[in-house]
């Protein structure tokens, strides 16, 4: 079933990791895949461009069906293999609504984190201002408090959208995993860090930990001064 699937991916990329987690949760092991290096610009190769004109990863092909953008791939897998593996989107519309909300809110958390962690990368040296970085940090701290509040309201041992592991967790965990990786002070988001500890050993996650994270467990200290 999975033998006619092909995934092009990059190590440590949250969008790629969430697709891999979704494949595992849907019991689609055995798919073909190719690990490409961002540093060497391998993702811009003609093989990828033929499927994804944006030359971005992940790039995914299932038979004759090409699906790009990680959210789209994850939702496609759930729809195509709804009765297989972990049920990631509940039937109840109210429960669905919360799953979808947390999924798409992940973009807010990711962007605010990137605005701080990779400020020097995104902003040219002559345009950098300490006041702008300070504002970015304040925005990120506020966002973390929001997510901590979500988990506090759900109760101890809860997932992002309730008592069951859902697509919200598939999509968001790879972003949350960046916070300890980048040395975010755990007191900034204690509930999120409890959630991280709860999920990091889940089989679909642990078995697919980014290869270069395993080689270099320490990571960078981009968020240590948050």
């Amino acid at each position: 079933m999975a033998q006619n699937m092909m995934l092009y991916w990059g190590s440590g990329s949250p969008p790629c990791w969430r697709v891999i987690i979704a494949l595992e949760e849907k019991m689609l092991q055995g798919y073909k895949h190719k690990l490409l290096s961002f540093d060497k610009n391998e993702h811009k190769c003609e093989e990828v461009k033929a499927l994804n004109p944006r030359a971005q990863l992940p790039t995914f092909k299932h038979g004759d069906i090409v699906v790009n953008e990680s959210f789209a791939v994850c939702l496609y897998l759930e729809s195509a293999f709804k009765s297989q593996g972990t049920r990631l989107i509940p039937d109840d519309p109210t429960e669905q609504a919360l799953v979808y909300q947390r999924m798409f809110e992940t973009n807010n958390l990711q962007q605010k984190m990137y605005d701080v962690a990779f400020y020097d990368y995104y902003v040219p040296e002559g345009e950098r201002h300490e006041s702008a970085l300070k504002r970015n940090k304040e925005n990120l701290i506020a966002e973390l408090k929001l997510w901590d509040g979500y988990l506090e309201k759900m109760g101890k041992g809860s997932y992002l959208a309730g008592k069951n592991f859902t697509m919200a967790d598939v999509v968001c965990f790879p972003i949350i995993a960046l916070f300890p990786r980048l040395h975010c002070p755990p007191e900034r988001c204690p509930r999120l860090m409890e959630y991280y500890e709860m999920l990091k050993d889940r089989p679909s996650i642990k078995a697919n930990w980014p290869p270069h994270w395993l080689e270099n467990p320490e990571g960078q200290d981009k968020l240590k001064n948050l």
Side-chain angles (χ1 to χ4, degrees), residues 101-113:
Q101 181 175 323
R102 294 292 179 264
M103 283 176 63
F104 289 100
E105 278 187 295
T106 298
N107 290 327
N108 297 325
L109 180 62
Q110 175 179 319
Q111 188 58 58
K112 287 179 170 62
M113 186 262 286

Side-chain angles (χ1 to χ4, degrees), residues 126-145:
E127 299 176 19
R128 297 172 195 162
H129 299 282
E130 189 60 36
S131 60
L133 180 56
K134 180 181 178 183
R135 183 170 62 252
N136 290 351
K137 288 181 178 180
E138 290 171 350
N139 290 338
L140 176 55
I141 290 169
E143 185 73 17
L144 289 171
K145 286 181 179 178

Side-chain angles (χ1 to χ4, degrees), residues 7-215:
L7 174 68
Y8 298 86
W9 63 289
S11 178
S13 158
C16 294
W17 195 5
R18 63 175 59 119
V19 170
I20 293 171
I21 294 171
L23 284 162
E24 291 286 334
E25 291 288 342
K26 300 308 293 182
M27 298 179 64
L28 293 167
Q29 296 88 352
Y31 59 91
K32 298 174 184 177
H33 64 94
K34 184 175 286 190
L35 174 59
L36 302 175
S37 168
F38 291 111
D39 291 339
K40 297 177 182 177
N41 281 326
E42 290 177 349
H43 58 296
K44 296 183 180 180
C45 67
E46 292 305 316
E47 190 175 353
V48 171
K49 286 182 179 178
L51 301 173
N52 187 342
R54 296 183 187 275
Q56 295 176 341
L57 302 180
T59 289
F60 178 77
K61 189 171 186 290
H62 178 205
D64 295 328
I65 301 170
V66 177
V67 189
N68 299 312
E69 298 297 328
S70 62
F71 279 46
V73 179
C74 289
L75 291 171
Y76 167 78
L77 292 172
E78 175 64 14
S79 178
F81 302 95
K82 188 174 183 179
S83 61
Q84 181 170 313
T86 307
R87 187 70 176 274
L88 298 173
I89 301 292
D91 283 331
D92 181 77
T94 301
E95 294 176 8
Q96 277 186 19
L98 185 56
V99 171
Y100 290 138
Q101 181 175 323
R102 294 292 179 264
M103 283 176 63
F104 289 100
E105 278 187 295
T106 298
N107 290 327
N108 297 325
L109 180 62
Q110 175 179 319
Q111 188 58 58
K112 287 179 170 62
M113 186 262 286
Y114 281 18
D115 286 345
V116 175
F118 307 114
Y119 180 77
D120 289 349
Y121 176 80
Y122 288 118
V123 181
E125 186 173 359
E127 299 176 19
R128 297 172 195 162
H129 299 282
E130 189 60 36
S131 60
L133 180 56
K134 180 181 178 183
R135 183 170 62 252
N136 290 351
K137 288 181 178 180
E138 290 171 350
N139 290 338
L140 176 55
I141 290 169
E143 185 73 17
L144 289 171
K145 286 181 179 178
L146 187 66
W147 285 84
D148 257 27
Y150 291 157
L151 287 169
E152 181 74 27
K153 186 176 181 179
M154 289 287 181
K156 193 172 181 64
S158 180
Y159 296 99
L160 290 179
K163 297 300 180 183
N164 297 316
F165 182 90
T166 68
M167 192 66 80
D169 304 290
V170 171
V171 164
C172 197
F173 179 83
I175 298 299
I176 293 173
L178 281 169
F179 285 90
R181 171 81 180 167
L182 299 177
H183 298 263
C184 176
E187 60 270 20
R188 285 296 186 194
C189 48
R191 296 294 175 269
L192 275 179
M193 289 304 94
E194 287 178 7
Y195 169 84
Y196 167 80
E197 290 295 330
M198 182 178 76
L199 257 67
K200 66 183 178 67
D201 290 326
R202 188 178 177 89
S204 64
I205 291 171
K206 185 176 182 179
N208 296 288
W209 209 254
H212 82 275
W213 288 20
L214 293 173
E215 295 169 4

